[in-house]
Amino acid sequence: MVLNSTELGLRVSQARQRAGLTQAELSQAIGVNRSVLAKMENGSRRLTALELAQVAEALGERIEWFVEDTPPAIVSHRNVTDPGEPSPRIDAEVERRVRAVEFVARNDTEFRDKVRRPPEFPLPGSREEADKLAREARELLGVGQSEPLHDLGTKVIRAGLLPFIVNLGRDAADAASVLLDAGAVAVVNGGLRVGRRRLSLAHELGHVLVADDYTVDWRIDGSTNRGFHEQLMDQFARSLLLPDISLEENWDVCGGNTENGLRTAAVRVASHFRVDMSTLARRLRELELISGAQAAQVRTTRTTKADIVEHDLVSSDELPKKPLPRVYEAAVLRLFTSEKISEERALDLLMGTWETAELPELPKLNESAIWQFVS
C-alpha cells in the first residue's frame, strides 16, 4: 500500500500528467487552490479521502491506482525508459490489466493452472537466431513449421501470453507486454489494421519468450533507427508469421516470379498468411525473393473488394478491437457464479465488454441454506 504522502502526491502528479492536465486545470476540477494541489503533489500536504476520490474521478483513474503498489516490472520500465518516448496511455492500460489478471490468478485455481509463465529462451544474437526462436515458438504454439499462423490471439495463450486488444488511437504505442510470475499480459493497439495488430502481438510474444520484463513498442517494423534488440524482435515476428520455406513455395505457386504476377501474388500470399503488405514486402526482401523496386510495389499494393471475390479470399477480422482472452473471461465468470466476487467487481474485471444482463444467473440457494448463516 502507498501510504506515504510523498508517494501519494507523486502518483497524483503522474496521473495528472498522463491525463494531459495542468495543475491549474486539475485544481479547478476538484475545487482547491492550485498552490494547495502543488503541496499535495510534492507531499507537503496530505490528501483527504474525499479529495483523493475527487482527484480519481477528475482524472478517470481508479482509487486503487493511487494507493496500491505498481507491478514491479512496470516500475522498472519507468525507471529506465527514455523520457523522449513517453507511453502514459498504454502504461495505464497495461497496469489495469496486470492488476486484474493477478487478482483472477490469485482467486481462480483453474485459470492459474492454464496460464503459466512461458518457458524462457536465450536472447537471439543474430538474425539467424531470431529465425530459430521463431521456429521454436511455432512448436510451443502447436503450429506446424509451414502452415499459416491463424487465430494468433488464441494460440499465444498456450505460451502463457494473454492478449488484450485496446483501441488507443493512431498516436499511441503499437503494443506493450509485461511478464508476470504466472503468465504474461500484452496490450495491442486495436486502432491498427489487422495485419499490424498480428505483427505487434507476434513481436510482444518474442519479448515474453526472452523474458523481457516490460516493453513498450511504438512503431513495430516502421523505423530504421531501432536498436538491434528491437530489430531482432521484428525479425522474429516476421519469421513467425511468414516461415521461409512455406512463403517461398506460396510465392512461387501464386505467380510471384512471373513477369506480371507480382500484384496478384502479393494479394493472395498476404491473405494466406494474414499479414499486411509492408510486412510481406520486408520478408520477401529478406529472403531475396524480390528486388528493392518490387518490394516498393508490394508495399503499395492494396487488396480490393474485387480481389476478395476473384481470388476467393477469406476476409477475417482477427484480433478484434474489444476482446478479452476467453480463458480470462471464463475465470471471471467462475468467480462470479461461485459468488467469490460481486456483480460490480465482475463487470469491472470484464472492463466494459459485458452488460449486467449478459452475466449468468446465480444459482438459487436451497431454503435450508439459511441455517448455514444462523446456526
Side-chain angles (χ1 to χ4, degrees):
M1 297 281 287
V2 179
L3 299 176
N4 179 293
S5 60
T6 302
E7 289 277 349
L8 186 57
L10 179 62
R11 301 303 297 271
V12 171
S13 175
Q14 290 173 340
R16 176 181 58 76
Q17 293 177 48
R18 195 159 70 187
L21 297 183
T22 64
Q23 284 187 336
E25 289 169 333
L26 179 57
S27 60
Q28 184 177 9
I30 64 175
V32 301
N33 188 285
R34 193 189 68 78
S35 62
V36 174
L37 177 61
K39 290 179 181 178
M40 292 174 178
E41 290 191 354
N42 66 28
S44 59
R45 180 189 178 289
R46 193 180 182 88
L47 284 84
T48 66
L50 178 59
E51 288 168 341
L52 182 58
Q54 290 172 324
V55 166
E57 183 177 2
L59 298 179
E61 291 284 358
R62 295 164 54 82
I63 288 182
E64 69 182 86
W65 189 86
F66 296 95
V67 297
E68 290 185 356
D69 291 332
T70 304
I74 296 178
V75 172
S76 172
H77 157 75
R78 286 177 181 147
N79 288 341
V80 301
T81 191
D82 180 351
E85 293 285 345
S87 54
R89 187 156 180 209
I90 204 162
D91 264 355
E93 298 292 348
V94 168
E95 189 172 323
R96 181 183 180 192
R97 283 152 184 79
V98 166
R99 290 181 189 278
V101 167
E102 289 186 328
F103 172 84
V104 173
R106 282 196 303 273
N107 291 282
D108 186 81
T109 306
E110 186 174 337
F111 177 73
R112 194 165 57 244
D113 289 342
K114 285 183 178 176
V115 184
R116 296 178 179 276
R117 189 177 174 111
E120 185 174 334
F121 293 86
L123 180 68
S126 65
R127 296 188 182 283
E128 291 73 20
E129 289 179 5
D131 287 339
K132 178 174 179 290
L133 178 61
R135 290 192 292 273
E136 292 169 331
R138 278 184 161 258
E139 290 182 15
L140 184 64
L141 301 182
V143 182
Q145 295 298 335
S146 61
E147 65 181 291
L149 207 175
H150 295 170
D151 200 14
L152 181 63
T154 299
K155 289 190 170 71
V156 294
I157 296 175
R158 298 184 187 184
L161 177 59
L162 292 169
F164 293 82
I165 313 302
V166 185
N167 193 348
L168 300 168
R170 293 175 179 271
D171 296 329
D174 284 7
S177 57
V178 182
L179 191 62
L180 308 176
D181 290 337
V185 165
V187 169
V188 176
N189 187 346
L192 306 174
R193 292 180 180 274
V194 62
R196 184 81 167 271
R197 294 201 294 268
R198 281 170 46 82
L199 182 71
S200 299
L201 181 55
H203 182 105
E204 296 310 315
L205 175 64
H207 279 302
V208 166
L209 293 181
V210 300
D212 286 336
D213 277 350
Y214 182 35
T215 66
V216 174
D217 293 290
W218 278 81
R219 296 290 179 263
I220 290 172
D221 202 31
S223 169
T224 57
N225 299 318
R226 298 163 66 79
F228 189 54
H229 180 69
E230 287 303 306
Q231 291 179 23
L232 292 178
M233 290 299 103
D234 283 348
Q235 171 86 23
F236 162 83
R238 288 192 295 272
S239 183
L240 182 71
L241 298 176
L242 293 163
D244 51 5
I245 295 176
S246 180
L247 174 58
E248 188 170 353
E249 289 175 352
N250 275 273
W251 186 249
D252 188 40
V253 167
C254 292
N257 296 321
T258 60
E259 185 176 353
N260 299 315
L262 186 136
R263 184 188 179 282
T264 298
V267 167
R268 293 177 61 186
V269 171
S271 174
H272 180 69
F273 289 101
R274 296 183 189 171
V275 296
D276 63 277
M277 290 297 177
S278 293
T279 301
L280 177 62
R282 188 77 176 269
R283 186 65 173 151
L284 289 169
R285 191 77 184 103
E286 282 171 357
L287 299 175
E288 299 182 351
L289 296 176
I290 57 175
S291 66
Q294 289 173 319
Q297 187 177 343
V298 171
R299 273 194 295 274
T300 57
T301 298
R302 296 291 177 264
T303 302
T304 65
K305 190 173 181 179
D307 288 324
I308 293 173
V309 174
E310 182 179 357
H311 303 298
D312 193 23
L313 306 180
V314 175
S315 179
S316 171
D317 189 20
E318 199 172 319
L319 299 177
K321 295 182 179 179
K322 287 186 178 179
L324 303 176
R326 181 61 59 86
V327 64
Y328 171 82
E329 285 181 311
V332 173
L333 295 183
R334 276 196 300 274
L335 292 176
F336 173 67
T337 55
S338 62
E339 300 189 59
K340 291 181 178 176
I341 60 175
S342 66
E343 176 183 297
E344 290 74 17
R345 182 60 168 144
L347 293 173
D348 178 53
L349 290 169
L350 293 169
M351 303 176 191
T353 62
W354 285 59
E355 302 289 340
T356 302
E358 295 173 317
L359 292 175
E361 287 189 26
L362 294 178
K364 293 182 180 178
L365 295 177
N366 187 292
E367 292 182 1
S368 62
I370 187 63
W371 297 108
Q372 296 176 15
F373 298 97
V374 300
S375 61

